Amino acid sequence: MAFEKRIDGSVLYKGVIVNVHMDRAELVNGDIVRREVVEHPGGVSVIPVEEDGTVWCVRQFRYPFGREMLEIPAGKLEKGEEPLPAAIRELSEETGLEAGRIIYLGPCCTSPGYSTEVLHIYLALDLKKGEAHPDEDEFLNVERHSLSELTGMAMSGEIDDAKTIIAVLKARRFLEGEGWREKS
């Protein structure tokens, strides 16, 4: 296995959410290369699924893409925050839902070629409804779609948000393993 050894580096940018580093690293063959690294605190995403296979999603404008995107509830980890409490918090903030059961579906390294961001994906079941209370700078619409519809949208490219695609496919596989079948 080939490893790269960090020699030195500097912080190019300190932001509200991310920091950007420019490092020099030594390759296994002795060559020196530059590596840009986006340091990100990580985050959580939650796919809330009703017993009938209905999924609660959010549609929100995403500035870097200049358009609205259909996604599952998600958010970044606050300093020192553990993923599970963050997932519970984000689910409540964005949808008003509370999960009677929450299952960890695993981590996702979003862009390992340049970013340290790890998203922790959760499946929320046995849902209870409440009032959403999004952050003051968060404007989103809550929508419901069937798990089958979302699967089709993920496969066709209509949904192009990575965390949502991964969560839809993993949740479907998990639920089918528990004996869930789509009602016709």
Side-chain angles (χ1 to χ4, degrees):
M1 181 165 304
F3 293 95
E4 296 181 12
K5 179 182 170 192
R6 182 179 182 276
I7 298 169
D8 60 27
S10 61
V11 176
L12 301 178
Y13 172 78
K14 279 190 169 273
V16 176
I17 298 174
V18 300
N19 297 326
V20 179
H21 300 254
M22 178 63 77
D23 291 350
R24 287 187 324 127
E26 182 180 351
L27 301 179
V28 69
N29 67 358
D31 288 351
I32 306 299
V33 295
R34 293 187 331 164
R35 296 289 187 233
E36 296 172 318
V37 178
V38 176
E39 183 181 54
H40 189 285
V44 295
S45 59
V46 186
I47 181 164
V49 182
E50 297 282 1
E51 195 172 308
D52 67 357
T54 302
V55 179
W56 294 81
C57 299
V58 295
R59 187 175 297 274
Q60 60 185 324
F61 183 83
R62 290 303 195 177
Y63 182 82
F65 291 94
R67 63 181 166 90
E68 287 186 333
M69 296 178 83
L70 184 64
E71 306 174 28
I72 59 171
K76 71 177 181 60
L77 290 169
E78 300 299 333
K79 188 173 178 109
E81 186 176 30
E82 291 295 317
L84 179 57
I88 293 166
R89 173 181 50 77
E90 287 295 335
L91 179 63
S92 175
E93 285 178 5
E94 295 189 7
T95 65
L97 295 170
E98 183 180 311
R101 193 170 130 198
I102 194 157
I103 295 118
Y104 186 58
L105 296 178
C108 170
C109 299
T110 60
S111 293
Y114 68 87
S115 174
T116 65
E117 181 182 26
V118 176
L119 279 178
H120 299 275
I121 304 168
Y122 290 89
L123 169 61
L125 302 170
D126 303 330
L127 304 172
K128 295 180 194 144
K129 294 170 187 68
E131 288 296 315
H133 47 97
D135 293 335
E136 62 184 41
D137 64 347
E138 198 168 38
F139 304 96
L140 46 85
N141 293 314
V142 178
E143 300 181 10
R144 292 174 56 167
H145 297 271
S146 73
L147 189 54
S148 291
E149 180 185 5
L150 291 174
T151 302
M153 293 167 78
M155 296 306 292
S156 73
E158 188 175 344
I159 293 176
D160 54 0
D161 172 60
K163 69 183 173 300
T164 300
I165 294 167
I166 293 165
V168 165
L169 299 178
K170 284 186 135 189
R172 184 176 190 113
R173 174 65 60 93
F174 178 89
L175 292 169
E176 287 172 347
E178 285 205 334
W180 176 83
R181 295 290 175 253
E182 183 177 359
K183 296 178 177 50
S184 304

